[in-house]
Amino acid sequence: MKFGYFDDKKREYIIKTPKTPLPWINYLGSEDFFTLVSNTAGGYSFYKDARLRRITRYRYNASPLDQDGFHIYLKAAGEVWNIAWQPVQTDVNSYCCRHGLGYTVFESEKKGILATQEMLVPRGEACLLCRITVANVGEEKKKVDVFPYTEFCLWDAMDDASNFQRNFSTGEVEVTADTIYHKTEYRERRDHYAFLWANRTPDAFDTARDAFIGIYGSPAKPAAVFGSGCTGSIAHGWAPVGAMQFSLDLLPGQTESIILMLGYIENPEDEKWESSGVINKERAVAMQQRYDSDKKFFAAREELADFWSSLLSNFTLSCEDEHVSRMVNIWNQYQCMVTFNMSRSASYFESGMGRGMGFRDSCQDLLGFVHMIPERARERILDIAATQFPDGSAYHQYQPLTKKGNMAVGSGFNDDPLWLIAGTDAYIRETGDYSILDEQVAFDCDASLAQPLMEHLRRSFNYTVEHLGPHQLPLIGRADWNDCLNLNCFSEHPGESFQVTGPSEGPVAESVFIAGMFVKYGRAYAELCSHLGLIEEAEASLAHVEKMEKTVLDAGWDGEWFRRAYDAFGQPVGSKECEEGKIFIEPQGMCVMAGIGKESGEAEKAMQSVKEHLDTRYGIVLLQPAYTNYYLNLGEISSYPPGYKENAGIFCHNNPWIVCAEAVLGHGNRAFEVYRRTCPSYLEDISEIHRTEPYVYPQMIAGKDAPTHGEAKNSWLTGTAAWTLLSITQAILGVVPTLDGLKIDPCLPSDWKGFAVSRRYRGAVYNITVDNAAGAEYGVKELFVNGQPLAGNVIPPAPAGETVEVKVIMG
Ligand code: BGC
């Protein structure tokens, strides 16, 4: 069952009912100011950091669901409703929500009043704009009251949700004719405030929640809206809000518009005050003036649309499959921007308080983002590298505002260092910019320890070499990619962290997955070395890589598939010898992607085993058989009920690893089949089962052991976005940036007759047409560049500004 439809021309998903199986959200903003907005206008805004600079309040896991947001109440002829249905939930005659790239528009009609609410974050600004139109589409004159409402958060979202003994006394506001300023803590250590402004003077306002909502009221029945209007309240402590009232008289056919702005301002220390106790509003007023007319709003809207058109034009695909086209051309790339911006911090499943930027997560997000804005990818790589420790290990997470590592989680996730090589390598392959390797980058955020980025990569590489276990496989530490496989922790008591309790690092537990990564990214490192003329280092690195490859084929091979790990007692994990958890997806994907066992047959066998043991109609599960007990020596993975999350859920993140692995083996049909199973657009028809947004990937879909098989969770912020984009664009379509140029190496379903891609690469545009009349799954027979045959399939980079015509014949 569908709840909406795609409009690919407009690049929108249009939701036709507010009652979607879960709130279906969008992200506004792609620089510093962000707003999450659901299809009923729920959500919240923050500046840079969802924990430390939360601007509006949001209650997670609330019942009723998703009541906090940026709401517009309408009142006419004795009835009250919201343009976006929530929180009042009055039935309207028509409703639609259009989620587009960086904007969301609601439209609904009731009582002969057609109203729209259009929200976006303009480029380069720290504010949310919301333009409302209210039209009288009836035959008679109408009186309509319009009430925008949002609740301010007292900045630090964690503190805001817990430290009430203080917070109920700190709230402060200031009000001018057209603006409500939220200035809690500005009198002491803060130099920032927020505000709600309108481009026309409201007839009334409220700034105290108790007054607008009522002490025992709710956003579903605000006292001011249902009673006699806003009261002019000034918040002293408790809960400051921004609420306004506009009383409109509309003739038949008349439309009125109001532009609202939720803004964020930082003032320099010596410009904080206008006069004693009165905040300096200069910057706020200037910002307001930039958007005080419809014309200016439309210009901002157009600028945003141009920004996205230009970004997406870096990679465009034409092919027969509409699902693949819309995911590649629009939504998958869009999600990659969002994961790049958010890492795993703020979604409807990530509260924005728990995690900041993940070291491993952000490095992987780069893989899907680097072709869009390479300069931002560059900056991010340097930020991430600065949180690395001098021994090559890394803080697992850091806060985006402070860029400081998160002490509570610390380090010891032994795959982390290698992801830095993966991200940097992707950046250099995209840009050819080796100068990034010369950048001086701090260790542990301490500038006095700075070394060139290349030295960071070297220490990443060496970290694995220097941390090998009894089988000469890499030690796993607290965990590897699978945060829930905790082989050293032995967490016994409820409430203890599975990762960081007790002796989380041990000298015995090893990871075959990290070994696979080491082979893949160790090789990339060696290639970088040889491009830099570090021949000896390249050779020495390759020797380590080759040795590891042998080790994997020996201690890491189980007979039919790659083992997952060895536990703290040296017992295999992910082996036929185990009672549960005999086979895991991760080492199959990573080892085969690294080419391990490609020549000697293990890779083929591993892929067959995945198909045989892990396939389901909704995707490939992480392991089988699911763990039915909690195992102290395995940790969090066995804490989940069977079929959920890492315990045999369909973890979407590593399904594309199988796509890539199958492509390494030239299996185009199977690669595409795996791609298709988790592709959200293909799942739109079963939205009532899948439940999350049909335009983005979720982290997890319940596996076959779960009673809710097929139900997705944790949409938006997942490494799935980057890896799936990589799997379709590089493994299947085969447009692969390399250090030496653009490689064309498709691995297609044999019934695809061909496709065309336009790819901007190092400043030149490549128009690539692939002809698969032969019905091949793999193999470039001929390749022409500007009409000339090319030996091999790597096109040397063309000068920036040029357009290159590429014709590829498969067979
Ligand atoms: C984390 C990833 C991790 C994955 C598997 C996600 O929640 O963000 O870093 O690789 O779970 O455990």
Side-chain angles (χ1 to χ4, degrees):
M1 184 178 159
K2 294 187 191 187
F3 296 84
Y5 61 93
F6 287 93
D7 183 334
D8 294 337
K9 273 223 168 69
K10 294 201 175 122
R11 297 172 175 155
E12 289 177 347
Y13 192 79
I14 294 155
I15 303 169
K16 295 300 291 176
T17 167
K19 296 174 197 165
T20 42
L22 287 166
W24 284 359
I25 74 162
N26 194 11
Y27 284 83
L28 315 182
S30 57
E31 293 151 309
D32 294 330
F33 188 102
F34 298 99
T35 298
L36 280 66
V37 60
S38 73
N39 60 312
T40 57
Y44 60 94
S45 301
F46 62 92
Y47 180 76
K48 283 191 181 169
D49 191 314
R51 172 169 173 189
L52 300 177
R53 283 287 187 285
R54 186 78 65 102
I55 294 170
T56 51
R57 187 172 281 157
Y58 189 80
R59 293 164 185 84
Y60 276 88
N61 197 11
S63 175
L65 198 60
D66 195 30
Q67 294 258 306
D68 302 317
F70 198 93
H71 295 307
I72 312 295
Y73 297 86
L74 299 182
K75 182 177 185 180
E79 278 237 46
V80 174
W81 70 99
N82 291 105
I83 299 182
W85 188 68
Q86 280 257 61
V88 177
Q89 300 186 358
T90 310
D91 282 337
V92 285
N93 296 337
S94 70
Y95 156 96
C96 102
C97 163
R98 290 162 34 216
H99 282 320
L101 306 185
Y103 67 88
T104 288
V105 187
F106 303 96
E107 183 182 292
S108 59
E109 193 271 324
K110 186 169 181 74
K111 296 259 160 201
I113 291 160
L114 183 64
T116 66
Q117 173 178 352
E118 179 169 3
M119 297 165 70
L120 58 89
V121 171
R123 299 271 308 139
E125 296 278 19
C127 69
L128 166 72
L129 292 179
C130 175
R131 179 173 178 268
I132 300 160
T133 64
V134 186
N136 180 353
V137 292
E139 306 288 317
E140 293 133 34
K141 263 174 54 175
K142 293 201 160 87
K143 187 173 159 33
V144 188
D145 279 295
V146 180
F147 299 85
Y149 170 70
T150 197
E151 186 175 349
F152 291 111
C153 180
L154 308 187
W155 306 118
D156 179 330
M158 186 77 114
D159 197 62
D160 182 75
S162 53
N163 192 7
F164 303 109
Q165 60 81 25
R166 168 179 165 82
N167 295 344
F168 286 166
S169 294
T170 55
E172 285 189 287
V173 296
E174 254 180 57
V175 180
T176 62
D178 54 10
T179 314
I180 293 166
Y181 290 92
H182 173 231
K183 58 171 191 177
T184 300
E185 291 189 346
Y186 190 80
R187 65 167 63 241
E188 24 115 353
R189 292 154 301 166
R190 294 191 185 273
D191 59 8
H192 44 264
Y193 58 78
F195 62 83
L196 176 69
W197 161 86
N199 74 336
R200 62 197 282 166
T201 308
D203 294 281
F205 67 87
D206 267 310
T207 70
R209 192 181 68 202
D210 282 357
F212 185 76
I213 298 286
I215 297 176
Y216 289 97
S218 86
K221 212 159 186 241
V225 180
F226 281 81
S228 47
C230 288
T231 64
S233 60
I234 297 291
H236 301 287
W238 300 110
V241 299
M244 293 178 172
Q245 177 176 4
F246 302 89
S247 302
L248 308 178
D249 290 302
L250 297 175
L251 296 170
Q254 188 181 345
T255 305
E256 288 289 319
S257 78
I258 305 168
I259 295 173
L260 301 163
M261 177 188 284
L262 176 70
Y264 170 86
I265 294 294
E266 283 179 359
N267 276 333
E269 184 59 37
D270 54 351
E271 293 175 29
K272 273 182 75 164
W273 304 102
E274 180 184 304
S275 57
S276 173
V278 180
I279 59 177
N280 179 348
K281 306 178 181 69
E282 240 173 69
R283 286 177 174 76
V285 171
M287 191 191 257
Q288 294 159 5
Q289 283 169 354
R290 291 198 284 277
Y291 302 98
D292 58 6
S293 68
D294 282 349
K295 202 169 149 219
K296 292 179 187 173
F297 178 89
F298 296 147
R301 178 165 80 183
E302 213 171 294
E303 198 186 330
L304 187 63
D306 290 348
F307 166 73
W308 274 105
S309 294
S310 147
L311 270 192
L312 295 179
S313 72
N314 289 349
F315 195 111
T316 55
L317 163 71
S318 353
C319 74
E320 293 151 34
D321 189 313
E322 61 166 356
H323 301 286
V324 179
S325 302
R326 73 165 62 104
M327 291 313 297
V328 169
N329 291 330
I330 308 169
W331 294 101
N332 198 173
Q333 294 200 63
Y334 185 57
Q335 190 177 359
C336 284
M337 167 66 95
V338 173
T339 56
F340 172 82
N341 285 325
M342 302 286 138
S343 198
R344 306 295 169 268
S345 65
S347 73
Y348 262 35
F349 300 87
E350 302 277 8
S351 68
M353 303 182 208
R355 311 203 248 176
M357 313 292 283
F359 190 97
R360 155 203 312 142
D361 296 326
S362 290
C363 284
Q364 285 176 92
D365 294 342
L366 289 168
L367 307 180
F369 175 78
V370 66
H371 70 288
M372 288 202 251
I373 314 183
E375 308 75 50
R376 287 189 67 193
R378 189 182 205 275
E379 197 185 318
R380 176 63 53 76
I381 291 168
L382 301 176
D383 282 351
I384 297 171
T387 66
Q388 189 175 26
F389 288 104
D391 72 348
S393 65
Y395 274 113
H396 197 45
Q397 290 157 9
Y398 72 96
Q399 280 306 125
L401 191 72
T402 59
K403 297 190 177 169
K404 291 266 173 356
N406 179 341
M407 287 304 251
V409 186
S411 70
F413 296 75
N414 283 354
D415 62 320
D416 273 337
L418 291 171
W419 290 115
L420 184 63
I421 299 180
T424 310
D425 172 57
Y427 170 79
I428 297 177
R429 283 192 284 127
E430 181 65 34
T431 58
D433 169 22
Y434 288 90
S435 76
I436 191 174
L437 297 173
D438 301 328
E439 292 283 350
Q440 290 286 324
V441 186
F443 276 105
D444 195 8
C445 293
D446 179 346
S448 70
L449 302 176
Q451 290 286 330
L453 180 64
M454 185 63 185
E455 181 58 26
H456 283 256
L457 302 195
R458 185 170 292 124
R459 293 189 195 179
S460 290
F461 181 91
N462 287 338
Y463 186 83
T464 303
V465 176
E466 288 157 11
H467 291 80
L468 300 178
H471 299 89
Q472 295 300 296
L473 288 164
L475 291 172
I476 196 167
R478 299 186 191 280
D480 59 20
W481 171 87
N482 192 328
D483 276 333
C484 299
L485 188 61
N486 315 122
L487 304 182
N488 289 309
C489 193
F490 297 88
S491 168
E492 259 184 293
H493 305 291
E496 286 174 350
S497 160
F498 289 104
Q499 283 84 29
V500 301
T501 306
S504 294
E505 290 163 71
V508 176
E510 300 168 300
S511 162
V512 178
F513 172 80
I514 301 181
M517 266 192 93
F518 180 76
V519 172
K520 182 166 167 53
Y521 297 114
R523 231 182 236 129
Y525 177 71
E527 224 190 303
L528 278 178
C529 289
S530 56
H531 269 74
L532 293 173
L534 303 170
I535 304 303
E536 266 176 41
E537 187 176 358
E539 281 168 7
S541 307
L542 271 186
H544 282 297
V545 166
E546 277 157 23
K547 192 161 160 239
M548 185 67 78
E549 200 167 353
K550 288 205 184 77
T551 309
V552 172
L553 287 173
D554 177 15
W557 182 249
D558 196 57
E560 298 293 322
W561 55 76
F562 294 101
R563 291 183 170 173
R564 179 61 180 84
Y566 285 92
D567 70 13
F569 308 100
Q571 294 303 310
V573 178
S575 157
K576 58 180 175 305
E577 292 169 23
C578 306
E579 247 174 63
E580 301 186 321
K582 288 175 189 287
I583 171 171
F584 281 63
I585 190 173
E586 307 101 300
Q588 321 312 327
M590 190 50 81
C591 293
V592 178
M593 276 200 283
I596 303 175
K598 186 178 168 188
E599 309 306 329
S600 43
E602 290 86 348
E604 284 280 349
K605 265 197 194 157
M607 289 299 102
Q608 278 160 19
S609 297
V610 166
K611 195 168 179 181
E612 196 176 316
H613 301 286
L614 302 179
D615 252 20
T616 79
R617 58 201 284 224
Y618 299 122
I620 302 171
V621 296
L622 195 143
L623 62 85
Q624 278 294 293
Y627 294 111
T628 52
N629 295 309
Y630 176 58
Y631 295 90
L632 260 184
N633 59 321
L634 300 178
E636 186 170 4
I637 193 164
S638 57
S639 75
Y640 288 110
Y644 293 106
K645 296 278 285 179
E646 283 84 345
N647 187 13
I650 297 158
F651 227 81
C652 296
H653 188 141
N654 34 42
N655 275 243
W657 293 349
I658 301 301
V659 174
C660 295
E662 292 285 4
V664 166
L665 303 178
H667 300 158
N669 287 331
R670 171 70 177 156
F672 188 69
E673 177 184 301
V674 175
Y675 170 82
R676 224 181 50 167
R677 295 244 172 112
T678 54
C679 176
S681 172
Y682 270 108
L683 300 174
E684 188 194 10
D685 282 337
I686 55 153
S687 288
E688 79 285 8
I689 298 172
H690 188 68
R691 298 190 69 197
T692 57
E693 297 90 334
Y695 40 92
V696 291
Y697 284 89
Q699 178 209 55
M700 196 270 305
I701 300 172
K704 61 185 176 188
D705 303 286
T708 58
H709 186 30
E711 179 189 61
K713 288 196 188 105
N714 305 1
S715 56
W716 283 97
L717 301 187
T718 159
T720 314
W723 272 103
T724 315
L725 190 69
L726 196 128
S727 76
I728 182 73
T729 58
Q730 299 193 25
I732 294 178
L733 303 173
V735 181
V736 189
T738 73
L739 294 181
D740 302 315
L742 204 55
K743 180 160 109 184
I744 314 293
D745 198 20
C747 183
L748 297 179
S750 47
D751 59 356
W752 274 34
K753 297 284 163 266
F755 65 87
V757 158
S758 172
R759 170 73 152 94
R760 191 168 292 124
Y761 177 62
R762 301 194 192 177
V765 174
Y766 295 75
N767 293 324
I768 306 156
T769 327
V770 174
D771 174 343
N772 189 29
E777 282 188 74
Y778 184 69
V780 170
K781 196 167 88 185
E782 287 173 291
L783 197 156
F784 300 90
V785 176
N786 291 329
Q788 299 300 313
L790 182 85
N793 60 351
V794 179
I795 310 166
E802 264 187 27
T803 300
V804 185
E805 300 298 327
V806 182
K807 186 156 178 58
V808 180
I809 299 173
M810 293 186 61

